[in-house]
Amino acid sequence: KDQSKTYFLPESELKVDFFPEGGVLINSVTNRMSFRITDANKIPAINAKVLLTDESKQIIASPIIFENGIGMFEFIPETGKKYQLQVALNLNNQKYFSLPAAANNGMNLIVSNLSSSKIFIQANADELFIGKNKVVYILAQQNGNTLFVKKFNLEEAQNAAVINKKDLADGLMQITAFDTKMHPLAERW
């Protein structure tokens, strides 16, 4: 005898928190967005099916769900378009959650710690930002010690660097991008 049951969960019980890497989404450049899906009690949603769509519900990306309702995707927002995350727990329960609006001028930092031996840093900026900030400086520090300083010439597409993990201690590392006047532009921990 079949013991399976299907339950309908009210749409209002889901919540999605968005975490754009580098702080904000920037139009016309690669962006990485992390998200967390929870219910009304802040318990992670499991077995969620997720798609990134535009305002006309065209699929833009299929995000990766790691565990406990946490996931990530990369995409390039287009100026004037709005994006949303379609979350489905079952066929009867689909809901759309609007992503934060993307800025037309700015820079973001994408940091990848997925390699066992290296950390990859990439700065992405739109043309307007590059026109005003041809050069940025990347500073990585840990436990109050400067580990890495690199000049990125954005105008020449010099926008990436690698840090070898063998030089790192245990703990958090702070990576900050500065303009030529040493004003912070973006930061990652």
Side-chain angles (χ1 to χ4, degrees), residues 14-84:
L14 287 179
K15 179 182 180 202
V16 176
D17 295 307
F18 293 106
F19 308 99
E21 191 164 6
V24 296
L25 292 174
I26 309 295
N27 282 321
S28 305
V29 300
T30 300
N31 289 260
R32 183 179 290 164
M33 173 77 79
S34 296
F35 59 89
R36 178 179 51 218
I37 306 168
T38 58
D39 67 13
N41 297 314
K42 300 196 184 235
I43 296 173
I46 56 172
N47 299 325
K49 304 287 187 247
V50 181
L51 293 172
L52 176 65
T53 65
D54 62 15
E55 66 258 346
S56 62
K57 303 216 177 10
Q58 295 296 312
I59 296 172
I60 305 300
S62 296
I64 299 167
I65 302 279
F66 298 112
E67 60 182 42
N68 296 327
I70 296 172
M72 178 190 77
F73 56 90
E74 286 186 1
F75 79 117
I76 300 174
E78 295 179 31
T79 301
K81 280 198 163 189
K82 294 180 182 177
Y83 298 92
Q84 55 202 355

Side-chain angles (χ1 to χ4, degrees), residues 5-16:
K5 295 182 182 181
T6 301
Y7 296 94
F8 175 78
L9 298 175
E11 289 182 1
S12 61
E13 290 189 20
L14 287 179
K15 179 182 180 202
V16 176

Side-chain angles (χ1 to χ4, degrees), residues 62-126:
S62 296
I64 299 167
I65 302 279
F66 298 112
E67 60 182 42
N68 296 327
I70 296 172
M72 178 190 77
F73 56 90
E74 286 186 1
F75 79 117
I76 300 174
E78 295 179 31
T79 301
K81 280 198 163 189
K82 294 180 182 177
Y83 298 92
Q84 55 202 355
L85 204 61
Q86 174 190 319
V87 179
L89 294 177
N90 57 49
L91 292 176
N92 297 324
N93 187 10
Q94 289 185 359
K95 188 167 182 184
Y96 292 89
F97 297 88
S98 295
L99 269 65
N104 288 321
N105 179 17
M107 185 196 85
N108 66 28
L109 281 175
I110 294 181
V111 179
S112 177
N113 189 23
L114 298 177
S115 167
S116 62
S117 62
K118 297 176 176 32
I119 295 174
F120 299 93
I121 303 168
Q122 182 176 348
N124 296 316
D126 67 280

